[in-house]
Amino acid sequence: MFLTRLHPINAVMKNYLIGLIALVYAIVFAGCNDGIDKVLSGTWNVTKVQGIFKNGGTALPPIVDENPTGTITFRSNGTGEQNYSYTLAGTDYPQTGSFSWSATNDLIIIERVNDPDLEWTRITDQDNKQIASYNFLINANQSWDYTLTLEK
C-alpha cells in the first residue's frame, strides 16, 4: 500500500507539471484563430466612399461621398454586419446585411450569402482607421473601383 502513495513532494511536482503544460497549451492555442484580425474587430463608422466607374478600360473621374451614414461591424467570431449608405452621382446605395470575414495584413475577405464575395485590399491598417479598396464587376466591360474609409 505504501508503494502506491506518492511522496508529498512528488505530488506537488506532478500538479506543478500538469499546470505548466496546461499553461503552455493555452498560450500556444490562444493565437490560433486564423483569419481574425484583432485590430479590425469592432464597429467602424463609414466616413468616406469613393467610386471610380470603368467602362471598356476607360476610367471616369472619381466620385466621392464625404458624408456617408452608418457602420460596419466586424465581430471577433468572424461574422459581421453592414448597415451604411452612400450617395454617388445622385444615386443612393444602401448596404445592409450580414457577412462572414477573415483578414490578413493586406486583405479583408468579405463572404456574403446572397451576393458575390468581396476582397478588400488594405491601404491603411491602423487601430482607429482602415482604408480599403475593392472592385465590383458589373459585366465584362463595366466595373466600379470603390475605396472605403472606416474610422472608430
Side-chain angles (χ1 to χ4, degrees):
M1 177 168 160
F2 82 89
L3 292 176
T4 59
R5 292 186 68 194
L6 290 175
H7 189 275
I9 292 176
N10 289 338
V12 170
M13 290 301 291
K14 179 180 174 185
N15 289 339
Y16 175 76
L17 185 58
I18 290 171
L20 184 61
I21 290 170
L23 179 63
V24 169
Y25 272 104
I27 291 170
V28 168
F29 292 112
C32 289
N33 198 355
D34 291 339
I36 300 300
D37 184 313
K38 304 302 185 239
V39 170
L40 193 58
S41 293
T43 299
W44 296 82
N45 295 309
V46 180
T47 60
K48 182 179 176 182
V49 178
Q50 175 180 293
I52 299 173
F53 181 73
K54 293 182 178 179
N55 187 9
T58 302
L60 298 178
I63 305 169
V64 179
D65 183 347
E66 297 279 355
N67 297 301
T69 59
T71 61
I72 299 176
T73 299
F74 296 93
R75 294 185 198 95
S76 61
N77 67 358
T79 65
E81 192 79 30
Q82 62 180 1
N83 187 14
Y84 68 98
S85 181
Y86 59 92
T87 303
L88 296 179
T91 302
D92 291 330
Y93 295 95
Q95 305 293 310
T96 60
S98 300
F99 57 87
S100 297
W101 68 277
S102 60
T104 67
N105 290 337
D106 300 323
L107 297 174
I108 303 169
I109 293 89
I110 305 293
E111 298 173 15
R112 304 181 301 173
V113 175
N114 296 321
D115 294 308
D117 294 346
L118 299 173
E119 189 172 279
W120 297 1
T121 301
R122 281 179 154 164
I123 299 167
T124 300
D125 180 14
Q126 299 172 352
D127 288 347
N128 61 353
K129 187 173 188 176
Q130 297 283 320
I131 300 175
S133 64
Y134 66 94
N135 178 271
F136 184 79
L137 187 64
I138 297 170
N139 59 41
N141 294 319
Q142 297 178 327
S143 66
W144 279 94
D145 286 340
Y146 287 106
T147 302
L148 295 178
T149 300
L150 309 175
E151 296 184 52
K152 282 191 176 177

